[in-house]
Amino acid sequence: MKNNTDTNLSAKSVCQALVRQGLISRGQAEEVVKKKDSIKQVLWKKIQKKKGSAIGGAGMADSVSIIDVIAALNLHRADDKEKKIDEECIFQFLASEWGFPYKKIDPLKLDLNTVTTTIPKSFAMKHQVLPIAVSDGHLTVATSNPFNLEAFEDITRVSQMKVNIVLSSKSDITRLIDEFFGFKKSIAAAESEFTSTGVDLGNLEQYVKLSSADELPSNDQHIVKAVNHLFSYAIEQRSSDIHIEPKRDISLVRMRIDGILHTVYKLPKKIHRAIVSRIKNLARMDMAEKRRPQDGRIKTDKGGVEVEVRISTVPVAFGEKIVMRIMDPDILFQELINLGFSSFDISRYNDFIKKPHGIILVCGPTGSGKSTTLYSTLRSLSTPEINITTVEDPIEMIHEEFNQIAVQPLAGVTFSTILRNILRQDPDIIMIGEMRDLETAENAVQAAMTGHLVFSTLHTNDAPSSITRLLDLGVPYFLIQATLVGVLAQRLVRKICKYCKESFHIDTKELGELGLQTGRTGHLKLYKGKGCVRCRGTGYLGRMGIFEVLPYTESIKKITTEKTDFQAVLEQARKEGMRTLREDAIKKLLEGETTYQEVLRVTWGSS
């Protein structure tokens, strides 16, 4: 077959195609042709500088294409003057012109073996091809050059499968070739160095522990590269948690993105202990201790910003499971208004936090965004005139403006014991990570009564039940009356992806049957995400809070007794304007920010 690359990817052909598709105007096409040689030289020098090699002209045409030139010019789109032309939209329009499907590759959906074992890395990089899926004897290959027919014939012969071509951007393909082949090389090299044929030491199904002398060292260069890749990959994918889970035959790597876990890699079980040891080493944990849970932390870099990674290990049936929580300062420290508060609720919450003393509680289960709310609140209150002291278990994110104390039970530093010392540190604001027992609650009450503003968390389902929870802990009702300022309950809902958002109509009766009372009748116009490359086909991108803000008013104080009725508190709070979690979620549903499926999922069991 004849290779049509030169003809179809020439400056003239590409510009004509984009003019026909309406992405660029004829004037812009002329500008591209006029400037292409000088732009190519600039881009070529950048490539060579990055590689650290000498500039040569032989590979210029291969390394810098006319598509790179158009993207570098930063032109406005002819079909939408508000948007700029980037590499991705150029390939999307060319795919339409050339009759190939366009594919934005989702790395989380790629199989490591499919990508790395079908063709060699040198071939993949030279021809800009990436095997991305196998189905029914067909191999789907992503490429930035669909006219390189000889390369596809070679892939067909090697794989013995029919090749389906999809078009993807050159930068995506190059980056993924580097990432996947590099990671695979590290894993394969590490596995080959682990030559033990003994019993898996971390498997509780085994009875005999053999020698551990041949365990792969955690400082092995391949393991170091593999672990570094996991960190950088998780940050790039906006992951909040990395799970490395030992199974009988494999080590499973999963990442939580927007609250949902995605399986990313299935690694050889042989290298699991080495990866765990490397991470424990970085976190300054006891590498020899494999029978007891441990906690640690690592500080890494994300685009020049320090990111904290909190490490937790626990022994499970097949070895040590490790979970790494990525504490991103961009998420933990935000403007309060950006968290999802309505104007009414943010006004009420601001009234809480401006009080000179008292207790403010933030309630919700693990993963409901309590830490983000508390950190964002403390940062908004922080000034050079105020002393803020926190007691945390563990410290989730270090911030220089706060005096942060980590709970250390072995050293006698607990929530309850340290509070006595904190009061001698002249604090203005105290944050207690969790009010989990009577002694902690009593010390918090004492701090509030002596003129301090105290923030803490409680694990309750809603705001009104926090009062009964304090009573259950043993706090006398009259002390609650004297110190409580207000309660904030919260959850996180996924936001509809703004890139594929579309409207639809649904009957309110249908929503009512599902348990959603919107207060409206007839047909409602709601929104959902159609599913696109940016949201990985989920229809959701990012999360926001839903809130229940309960001011502890005089009328609620009056009904707070030793036998306070939760329902009475709820009814009084609603009379005074409190919007429940379900009601706040429905408000965001009607405003087109989330879906009714998310409302039902997150507020299940709420009124």
Side-chain angles (χ1 to χ4, degrees):
M1 287 188 188
K2 186 181 178 181
N3 193 325
N4 297 315
T5 296
D6 293 340
T7 302
N8 289 284
L9 289 179
S10 69
K12 182 179 179 181
S13 294
V14 169
C15 287
Q16 287 176 345
L18 295 179
V19 169
R20 283 194 295 271
Q21 288 293 318
L23 181 64
I24 64 174
S25 64
R26 292 189 181 278
Q28 288 174 319
E30 291 172 3
E31 181 185 356
V32 169
V33 173
K34 182 179 178 181
K35 295 181 177 179
K36 65 181 176 65
D37 291 334
S38 60
I39 298 293
K40 275 189 175 184
Q41 287 290 341
V42 172
L43 295 176
W44 180 246
K45 287 178 181 178
K46 285 183 179 179
I47 291 171
Q48 294 306 315
K49 186 177 181 181
K50 189 174 181 180
K51 289 182 177 179
S53 58
I55 299 172
M60 186 186 297
D62 294 330
S63 298
V64 183
S65 70
I66 189 62
I67 296 171
D68 298 322
V69 171
I70 298 171
L73 285 169
N74 204 27
L75 302 170
H76 287 277
R77 291 174 57 156
D79 61 341
D80 188 345
K81 300 296 184 184
E82 298 296 317
K83 297 179 180 178
K84 293 291 187 73
I85 296 174
D86 58 18
E87 182 192 24
E88 190 171 317
C89 77
I90 294 171
F91 275 102
Q92 286 176 329
F93 277 74
L94 288 176
S96 178
E97 171 73 16
W98 293 336
F100 290 96
Y102 178 79
K103 176 75 173 177
K104 175 67 176 176
I105 307 170
D106 181 357
L108 295 182
K109 294 181 179 176
L110 296 183
D111 178 72
L112 185 65
N113 287 329
T114 299
V115 173
T116 58
T117 60
T118 308
I119 56 176
K121 179 182 180 181
S122 57
F123 183 91
M125 193 63 83
K126 178 182 177 181
H127 297 288
Q128 283 291 293
V129 288
L130 186 73
I132 58 174
V134 175
S135 178
D136 299 326
H138 288 67
L139 176 68
T140 301
V141 176
T143 182
S144 60
N145 178 10
F147 305 107
N148 191 355
L149 302 180
E150 292 177 3
F152 300 124
E153 288 175 350
D154 290 341
I155 295 172
T156 300
R157 280 195 297 271
V158 170
S159 66
Q160 297 185 333
M161 289 184 281
K162 184 178 179 181
V163 172
N164 296 330
I165 301 171
V166 296
L167 197 65
S168 296
S169 71
K170 177 182 173 183
S171 60
D172 277 358
I173 291 171
T174 302
R175 176 173 55 82
L176 291 170
I177 289 172
D178 279 334
E179 285 184 358
F180 274 76
F181 279 92
F183 186 62
K184 177 68 175 181
K185 182 179 178 181
S186 297
I187 294 300
E191 185 181 14
S192 68
E193 290 185 24
F194 198 132
T195 56
S196 169
T197 56
V199 176
D200 181 358
L201 311 184
N203 190 338
L204 294 187
E205 291 185 331
Q206 309 291 352
Y207 297 101
V208 181
K209 180 173 180 179
L210 303 181
S211 171
S212 61
D214 54 6
E215 185 170 321
L216 189 64
S218 62
N219 62 353
D220 176 86
Q221 61 171 329
H222 306 299
I223 290 297
V224 170
K225 288 179 181 178
V227 171
N228 289 346
H229 170 80
L230 289 178
F231 281 131
S232 60
Y233 191 57
I235 291 171
E236 176 190 313
Q237 297 298 320
R238 301 181 302 105
S239 173
S240 61
D241 300 86
I242 310 170
H243 293 236
I244 303 177
E245 306 171 4
K247 305 300 180 184
R248 182 178 284 107
D249 302 313
I250 61 168
S251 180
L252 189 66
V253 179
R254 299 196 288 172
M255 294 183 185
R256 189 178 296 279
I257 302 169
D258 290 338
I260 305 298
L261 275 171
H262 300 262
T263 298
V264 180
Y265 296 122
K266 294 178 181 178
L267 305 179
K269 181 65 181 296
K270 291 179 180 180
I271 66 168
H272 175 80
R273 280 178 296 156
I275 286 178
V276 171
S277 294
R278 170 62 181 168
I279 294 167
K280 288 167 75 173
N281 184 31
L282 290 172
R284 298 181 181 178
M285 298 159 75
D286 185 351
M287 294 169 61
E289 180 56 74
K290 296 177 173 62
R291 299 168 299 170
R292 289 186 300 184
Q294 293 189 68
D295 292 306
R297 63 192 317 113
I298 298 170
K299 185 173 286 188
T300 185
D301 179 83
K302 171 197 167 189
V305 178
E306 288 185 349
V307 175
E308 297 267 353
V309 183
R310 202 170 73 197
I311 314 295
S312 171
T313 67
V314 293
V316 294
F318 298 108
E320 278 187 288
K321 176 183 175 181
I322 191 160
V323 174
M324 295 172 279
R325 170 154 287 189
I326 300 169
M327 314 305 295
D328 189 340
D330 292 337
I331 294 173
L332 276 175
F333 297 103
Q334 300 186 50
E335 296 296 325
L336 289 174
I337 194 63
N338 295 333
L339 298 180
F341 283 101
S342 66
S343 56
F344 179 71
D345 282 344
I346 192 65
S347 175
R348 283 188 151 192
Y349 186 62
N350 278 327
D351 287 341
F352 292 178
I353 66 179
K354 289 176 182 176
K355 292 285 192 293
H357 54 81
I359 295 175
I360 297 169
L361 297 175
V362 179
C363 304
T366 301
S368 60
K370 299 189 298 297
S371 295
T372 297
T373 299
L374 283 171
Y375 274 127
S376 299
T377 300
L378 293 178
R379 194 179 71 166
S380 72
L381 295 173
S382 179
T383 67
E385 295 80 29
I386 289 179
N387 176 16
I388 298 176
T389 303
T390 73
V391 189
E392 305 172 58
D393 182 19
I395 297 172
E396 296 199 21
M397 186 74 192
I398 294 172
H399 194 278
E400 289 185 357
E401 295 176 16
F402 313 152
N403 298 293
Q404 295 168 281
I405 301 167
V407 167
Q408 301 178 64
L410 294 178
V413 180
T414 65
F415 282 122
S416 55
T417 58
I418 196 63
L419 274 172
R420 304 189 196 103
N421 304 97
I422 286 176
L423 293 178
R424 293 192 286 271
Q425 287 284 314
D426 187 31
D428 296 292
I429 297 173
I430 300 169
M431 194 270 276
I432 305 167
E434 184 184 344
M435 206 175 285
R436 57 177 63 159
D437 54 43
L438 176 58
E439 191 176 1
T440 305
E442 285 177 337
N443 282 293
V445 167
Q446 183 63 34
M449 292 186 71
T450 53
H452 304 91
L453 187 61
V454 180
F455 290 88
S456 190
T457 67
L458 270 181
H459 288 292
T460 61
N461 290 327
D462 49 40
S465 59
S466 62
I467 297 172
T468 54
R469 173 65 178 148
L470 289 175
L471 290 167
D472 290 342
L473 285 175
V475 181
Y477 74 91
F478 53 86
L479 290 181
I480 297 174
Q481 291 174 332
T483 56
L484 189 60
V485 170
V487 184
L488 173 73
Q490 66 178 84
R491 298 287 191 281
L492 292 174
V493 294
R494 289 183 290 172
K495 294 192 291 186
I496 298 171
C497 175
K498 63 181 180 180
Y499 298 102
C500 61
K501 187 175 182 178
E502 62 180 15
S503 63
F504 69 100
H505 289 84
I506 188 170
D507 197 303
T508 52
K509 290 181 180 178
E510 187 177 340
L511 290 176
E513 290 171 358
L514 294 171
L516 288 181
Q517 302 300 328
T518 61
R520 302 185 186 183
T521 57
H523 280 76
L524 275 179
K525 183 180 180 181
L526 300 180
Y527 294 86
K528 63 180 180 179
K530 184 179 180 181
C532 67
V533 294
R534 289 182 173 87
C535 64
R536 299 188 176 86
T538 63
Y540 299 101
L541 187 63
R543 290 189 289 177
M544 68 187 306
I546 56 170
F547 300 96
E548 191 172 283
V549 184
L550 171 65
Y552 193 58
T553 60
E554 289 299 324
S555 56
I556 296 178
K557 283 182 183 179
K558 289 177 182 177
I559 59 175
T560 302
T561 65
E562 292 177 346
K563 298 181 180 179
T564 294
D565 178 30
F566 160 78
Q567 197 62 37
V569 176
L570 175 61
E571 289 174 5
Q572 183 61 38
R574 295 184 72 172
K575 284 179 186 177
E576 296 176 0
M578 186 191 80
R579 186 185 291 120
T580 66
L581 288 168
R582 170 66 66 90
E583 290 166 347
D584 192 42
I586 289 174
K587 180 177 183 292
K588 290 177 169 64
L589 166 69
L590 297 176
E591 291 172 349
E593 296 185 89
T594 191
T595 64
Y596 72 85
Q597 292 94 338
E598 271 296 280
V599 174
L600 290 168
R601 180 181 72 85
V602 175
T603 65
W604 179 86
S606 301
S607 57

